Amino acid sequence: MATVTQWIEGARLRTLPNAITPVLVGTGAAAGVDGWSAPIALLALAVSVLLIIGVNFANDYSDGVRGTDDSRVGPMRLVGSGAATPGSVRTAAFTCFGLGALAGIGVVLLSGQWWMLLVGLLCIGGAWFYTGGKRPYGYSGLGEVAVFVFFGLVAVLGTMFAQAGTVSGFAIGGAVAVGAFSSAVLVANNLRDIPGDRVTGKRTLAVLLGDRDTRTLYLALVLIPFLITVLTGLRNSWALVGFLALPLLINPVRAVTGGASGRGLIPTLRDTGLAMLVWGAATGVALAAG
């Protein structure tokens, strides 16, 4: 039976910047048009956090029962390590999805945007079928696309629309930036796992592109948010505070361009997520102030 510490590790709390950042940016954008709502923002945060923990458990379950985690380089997996039974991890995943759905219903009730129920269902479906089901799209090179859409476009724009009833150009730019950051985290993760994924037949985008092109993709993705910062700064100079996150990318960029592999890439995931969180907090405040 897995210990509490192992369950916490299995939840992969280091991925929480991917959940928190879009809510910060979306709420900042809503405040920028005088439309923010604290209760909706908190419920949106709950939805995002519960979904990402749920997808982490779902991935643990699906990869574990397929055997693709048997030679994993990264953090411990509950099923792959034998610390927890597949059924218990699957239950944990659906419990998170269920709680996230309840928080989402709260968002719908407060905002009156009933069509968002469908968006919520699509998000839960996307979370499960990333590595679940007979044809998981994460095994076909579409994981980064899904992360860009769900934790970038949907999360940022959905957060703003639920609060303000509209979407601004600033929010669209922020959504693209957050999606790029989130995709960069996954690219770094999959770059680390290329050797093992090739052996197990897991055809991630990194496996399809190869080592060199995956490293180039990572650099492009972490550049996009700062390009958007410059463009946003032309109309809202406050947005330039987003450059506070740039120094946090020095080490991960060095690791990726320097050919780091395996465990040498683990800090890259952490540092990229931290840079995303700092960028999102700074940009959210900038959008609200501007």
Side-chain angles (χ1 to χ4, degrees), residues 19-286:
I20 297 170
T21 302
V23 178
L24 292 176
V25 175
T27 299
V33 295
D34 297 324
W36 86 290
S37 164
I40 293 178
L42 290 173
L43 285 169
L45 180 62
V47 171
S48 192
V49 168
L50 287 165
L51 283 183
I52 204 164
I53 294 176
V55 77
N56 289 338
F57 282 136
N59 293 347
D60 191 309
Y61 164 77
S62 297
D63 286 343
V65 297
R66 284 191 173 90
T68 55
D69 277 342
D70 291 348
S71 58
R72 184 171 177 80
V73 175
M76 184 208 74
R77 290 295 188 101
L78 294 164
V79 176
S81 68
T85 64
S88 64
V89 176
R90 181 180 56 197
T91 298
F94 279 102
T95 298
C96 290
F97 292 153
L99 293 173
L102 289 175
I105 291 172
V107 171
V108 169
L109 290 173
L110 291 177
S111 67
Q113 305 294 339
W114 292 95
W115 58 272
M116 284 190 166
L117 289 174
L118 177 59
V119 175
L121 289 174
L122 290 174
C123 289
I124 292 174
W128 175 253
F129 289 108
Y130 172 55
T131 55
K134 294 182 179 180
R135 295 182 180 274
Y137 64 84
Y139 283 29
S140 301
L142 296 175
E144 285 78 3
V145 175
V147 165
F148 181 86
V149 171
F150 289 119
F151 286 101
L153 303 183
V154 173
V156 174
L157 300 181
T159 296
M160 180 180 183
F161 194 88
Q163 296 180 64
T166 188
V167 168
S168 67
F170 288 146
I172 293 173
V176 171
V178 173
F181 259 132
S182 288
S183 297
V185 173
L186 183 57
V187 166
N189 180 83
N190 290 341
L191 172 64
R192 179 199 66 199
D193 292 342
I194 285 177
D197 288 342
R198 279 178 174 160
V199 171
T200 58
K202 188 175 181 179
R203 300 174 73 247
T204 63
L205 183 59
V207 169
L208 296 174
L209 290 177
D211 185 275
R212 184 185 64 181
D213 288 345
T214 299
R215 294 177 190 274
T216 300
L217 176 60
Y218 173 85
L219 294 177
L221 288 170
V222 296
L223 175 64
I224 288 173
F226 298 100
L227 176 60
I228 290 175
T229 292
V230 172
L231 295 176
T232 304
L234 296 176
R235 292 189 59 191
N236 178 358
S237 59
W238 283 93
L240 297 177
V241 298
F243 278 105
L244 290 172
L246 191 58
L248 298 173
L249 288 170
I250 293 175
N251 286 336
V253 167
R254 281 179 177 172
V256 171
T257 57
S261 60
R263 292 189 178 277
L265 285 168
I266 292 177
T268 298
L269 278 71
R270 177 199 63 209
D271 294 343
T272 305
L274 181 59
M276 172 171 56
L277 184 60
V278 171
W279 185 92
T283 300
V285 170

